[in-house]
Amino acid sequence: MRGLWDMSRPVSSMLTSSRAFLFFLLVAFNSAVFASFSDQTATSLVQKMRDALIHQNYEGTFVYMNGKDMETMHVVHEWTDGRERSHITALSGPAREVHRDDQYLTCIWPEMRSVRKEPIRSRDDFLLPVPLNPASIEAYYQYRLDGEERIAGKTCSLVTIEPLDDYRFGHQYCIEAQTGVPLKVTRMDTSGKVIEQMVFTEISFPASVDQKSFDYQARTEGYDVSHVSLPQEKVEDISFKFNGLPVGFKVKSAMHRPAT
């Protein structure tokens, strides 16, 4: 997760994550009043989730599924003294680890005795794909509560973010009641079919995290270390334009990497 998405999304070639589904049937309520309440509550839960992915300590094991592919990961996340750190270890497939702090994303391949370090441009690169201000996308998505589920022994509230057109993915989060950490994350296509899903099988929220979890330097002494520089970001100077973009879409960034 970056937090959770955190470690899954940016390291998509090694790790990745997403969302889930389960629908709640409503009966004998004033639908207009209930919808208004649900939308408001769903939005506040998503805001709580964004904050939790940065500021909440958590440690656990999750399963990531993409099509027929499935991987099991262990994640440790810490926020202390204004500093955020995460470490993910793959428990299935080839041995590899991903460490992230406020400065670097570090990928480790023990079998190849190889380390790759890449500077981090922005914390938002690792967060789940939810805007800081949900009102900014209300013309394109509908937020709603879809009941509760029990995951990894804990109760979580299902929040569905459903697109109002065929240009966008649907998302669903099962958000743990006390902390705001998502225990299940699902991404769906325009037909509602699940594309990706991340589910915790166990999770805890310690007051403090064992610092040995982040001491990868001792384990990688003598490894081949490569440093990757970020490509130059030039939004204003791109020489091409996109015409006919759907409403709500815009160019956010463009990278310039010289040919080698």
Side-chain angles (χ1 to χ4, degrees):
M1 236 186 210
R2 198 227 167 163
L4 184 51
W5 220 180
D6 171 357
M7 305 313 281
S8 50
R9 190 175 181 78
V11 193
S12 55
S13 60
M14 296 175 57
L15 313 167
T16 337
S17 335
S18 286
R19 347 280 192 277
F21 70 103
L22 192 143
F23 299 96
F24 184 56
L25 302 178
L26 304 176
V27 236
F29 280 103
N30 182 312
S31 58
V33 173
F34 191 88
S36 174
F37 172 77
S38 297
D39 291 346
Q40 183 179 8
T41 305
T43 301
S44 64
L45 279 172
V46 170
Q47 296 288 61
K48 183 177 181 179
M49 178 182 70
R50 283 188 62 97
D51 182 70
L53 287 175
I54 298 173
H55 299 106
Q56 176 67 50
N57 291 347
Y58 55 84
E59 180 173 2
T61 300
F62 66 91
V63 176
Y64 167 69
M65 293 161 282
N66 184 339
K68 295 181 180 179
D69 298 327
M70 183 171 70
E71 295 189 87
T72 305
M73 316 278 182
H74 182 264
V75 59
V76 181
H77 179 269
E78 175 189 61
W79 172 268
T80 182
D81 298 327
R83 182 180 64 177
E84 181 189 7
R85 294 194 293 177
S86 299
H87 194 92
I88 285 186
T89 304
L91 302 181
S92 62
R96 64 258 195 238
E97 300 174 43
V98 175
H99 177 89
R100 183 183 63 82
D101 55 30
D102 289 336
Q103 292 183 301
Y104 291 99
L105 181 70
T106 304
C107 300
I108 305 163
W109 291 269
E111 293 175 356
M112 296 187 291
R113 297 180 62 81
S114 175
V115 175
R116 174 187 172 107
K117 295 179 72 73
E118 179 178 326
I120 288 175
R121 183 174 53 248
S122 167
R123 173 180 283 142
D124 277 351
D125 288 346
F126 295 87
L127 287 174
L128 288 162
V130 177
L132 283 169
N133 178 17
S136 65
I137 63 166
E138 64 182 4
Y140 317 114
Y141 291 92
Q142 172 183 314
Y143 284 64
R144 70 168 185 270
L145 285 179
D146 276 332
E148 292 184 339
E149 198 170 312
R150 192 166 179 267
I151 296 173
K154 301 182 184 300
T155 301
C156 53
S157 298
L158 284 165
V159 175
T160 299
I161 304 177
E162 190 174 64
L164 300 178
D165 56 36
D166 292 332
Y167 298 118
R168 297 163 172 87
F169 290 117
H171 306 276
Q172 189 175 69
Y173 307 103
C174 205
I175 302 172
E176 201 273 328
Q178 299 300 316
T179 64
V181 172
L183 304 183
K184 180 190 277 188
V185 181
T186 306
R187 175 181 294 181
M188 296 161 284
D189 65 15
T190 54
S191 67
K193 180 181 177 181
V194 174
I195 301 171
E196 294 178 285
Q197 190 170 86
M198 182 285 303
V199 185
F200 271 103
T201 57
E202 60 176 356
I203 190 170
S204 61
F205 307 105
S208 61
V209 174
D210 186 349
Q211 296 305 295
K212 291 180 181 178
S213 303
F214 303 107
D215 186 21
Y216 69 90
Q217 290 92 343
R219 301 194 306 275
T220 58
E221 187 175 350
Y223 281 25
D224 179 39
V225 180
S226 60
H227 293 263
V228 181
S229 59
L230 287 174
Q232 187 177 0
E233 187 169 6
K234 289 187 171 184
V235 183
E236 304 82 2
D237 300 339
I238 55 176
S239 58
F240 57 88
K241 302 294 181 184
F242 293 99
N243 295 319
L245 285 176
V247 176
F249 283 79
K250 64 180 180 180
V251 177
K252 183 178 178 181
S253 66
M255 298 296 176
H256 176 263
R257 190 188 296 273
T260 56

